[in-house]
Amino acid sequence: MLFETVPATYGMAVPDRDFFQRVRELCDRRGALLIVDEVQTGLGRTGKLWGIEHFGVVPDIIVIGKGLSGGLYPMSATCFRAEYEAVFRPDPFIHISTFGGAEIGCPVALKVLELTADQRFLRNVQETAALFAEGFRVLLEKHAEILVGLRQLGLMMGIEMIHEQCGPLFSKVAFDHGLLSVYANNNRRVAQLLPPLIIDRALALEIMDRVDRTWQVIKAIFRGR
C-alpha cells in the first residue's frame, strides 16, 4: 500500500487522524507493506520530522527526496525496516534511483537531517503554521464568497476555493503579486501554499498580505463577468 502522507497535487487532502492506523492494521492483517512517500511532507514540513508521525504509525518503507540535500545537490533515499535489507544481498542493484547513491549528496543530507530534526527548527515551523492558521481565519471572513478554507498540516497548506477556475486564476494573480503558489492539478479549487520552513513572522505576514491582495483582484474579476 503506497501513500503520500498528504497528497499535494490531489489538493492537500489531510487524512483523518485514524486513517493510517486503519491502513496499518489492514496491511498487518493481509501481510502487505505500508510504503509512505514523504518527499514533500518530510524533513519538518508538517512541524514534525516526518509527516506520518502525526498519525502514530511506523511504515515499512519511507521514500524521501527533494529537500533531503537542502537544494545543494540532487539526493533521494528509500528507508526501510531492517528485515527487508536482505533483498539487497543477492543483487545490491535491484533498486536504483536517479538521485540515489550521491557521494556529495550524502554528507549534505546528514547535515539536513541534523538541522531539520532540531526541536528549535521544528518549533519555528509549528509557530509559523499557527500564525498562518490564525491569519487565514481572518481572511476567510473577509473573502467568504470565494474562500472555503485552509487545508493544513504544519506548513503543508492548500487554499481551498469555491470553483475549479479559482486555482489557476489564483496562481496567475498571486504570481503577479510576487507570490509563487501552484494550483493542484487534480483539484483545481485548491492552490498549494508551501513557504520556506525558515521564514520568520514578518515574512509570513507579508505572504498573507499578498494572498489578501490576490483575492481582492480575483473577486473584482468575478464581479466584472
Side-chain angles (χ1 to χ4, degrees), residues 4-16 55 151-152 158 187 190:
E4 286 184 272
T5 308
V6 178
T9 55
Y10 186 61
M12 298 292 188
V14 179
D16 294 337
F55 303 93
R151 299 179 176 184
Q152 182 184 31
N187 185 349
V190 178

Side-chain angles (χ1 to χ4, degrees), residues 19-38:
F19 174 78
F20 281 110
Q21 293 175 5
R22 290 185 282 121
V23 172
R24 176 78 271 179
E25 292 169 1
L26 182 62
C27 287
D28 292 343
R29 190 161 64 246
R30 297 292 185 176
L33 299 183
L34 174 57
I35 305 171
V36 173
D37 178 343
E38 288 270 342

Side-chain angles (χ1 to χ4, degrees), residues 80 82-95:
F80 45 85
E83 56 264 35
Y84 303 122
E85 185 268 342
V87 71
F88 292 97
R89 292 175 185 169
D91 184 359
F93 298 103
I94 194 171
H95 174 77

Side-chain angles (χ1 to χ4, degrees), residues 12-209:
M12 298 292 188
V14 179
D16 294 337
R17 289 295 174 170
D18 65 341
F19 174 78
F20 281 110
Q21 293 175 5
R22 290 185 282 121
V23 172
R24 176 78 271 179
E25 292 169 1
L26 182 62
C27 287
D28 292 343
R29 190 161 64 246
R30 297 292 185 176
L33 299 183
L34 174 57
I35 305 171
V36 173
D37 178 343
E38 288 270 342
V39 171
Q40 291 201 62
T41 51
L43 301 168
R45 166 62 59 184
T46 67
K48 292 184 181 291
L49 182 58
W50 309 116
I52 195 68
E53 291 183 72
H54 290 277
F55 303 93
V57 166
V58 178
D60 299 297
I61 299 174
I62 291 182
V63 181
I64 315 164
K66 290 185 177 176
L68 183 57
S69 61
L72 299 177
Y73 195 88
M75 183 69 180
S76 66
T78 302
C79 304
F80 45 85
R81 292 180 182 270
E83 56 264 35
Y84 303 122
E85 185 268 342
V87 71
F88 292 97
R89 292 175 185 169
D91 184 359
F93 298 103
I94 194 171
H95 174 77
I96 58 173
S97 72
T98 306
F99 298 142
E103 293 84 353
I104 298 175
C106 285
V108 177
L110 285 173
K111 188 63 178 179
V112 169
L113 287 167
E114 176 188 329
L115 293 172
T116 55
D118 189 300
Q119 289 304 310
R120 292 170 298 177
F121 170 81
L122 294 173
R123 189 160 50 250
N124 180 68
V125 174
Q126 295 160 10
E127 292 172 354
T128 306
L131 183 62
F132 273 104
E134 178 59 33
F136 269 89
R137 276 191 284 270
V138 175
L139 291 173
L140 178 59
E141 294 180 4
K142 185 176 182 180
H143 303 288
E145 66 269 44
I146 193 170
L147 175 62
V148 175
L150 182 69
R151 299 179 176 184
Q152 182 184 31
L153 190 62
L155 291 180
M156 188 87 178
M157 299 180 287
I159 304 168
E160 184 180 2
M161 293 164 282
I162 59 170
H163 194 277
E164 64 178 10
Q165 293 180 356
C166 290
L169 188 57
F170 184 90
S171 292
K172 172 60 171 66
V173 178
F175 185 80
D176 292 340
H177 286 79
L179 179 65
L180 180 62
S181 174
V182 180
Y183 65 89
N185 196 46
N186 293 304
N187 185 349
R188 297 187 177 194
R189 294 189 304 110
V190 178
Q192 302 176 46
L193 186 60
L194 301 166
L197 305 184
I198 57 173
I199 64 173
D200 57 16
R201 179 183 178 86
L203 186 51
L205 292 173
E206 181 183 337
I207 290 171
M208 284 185 282
D209 178 66

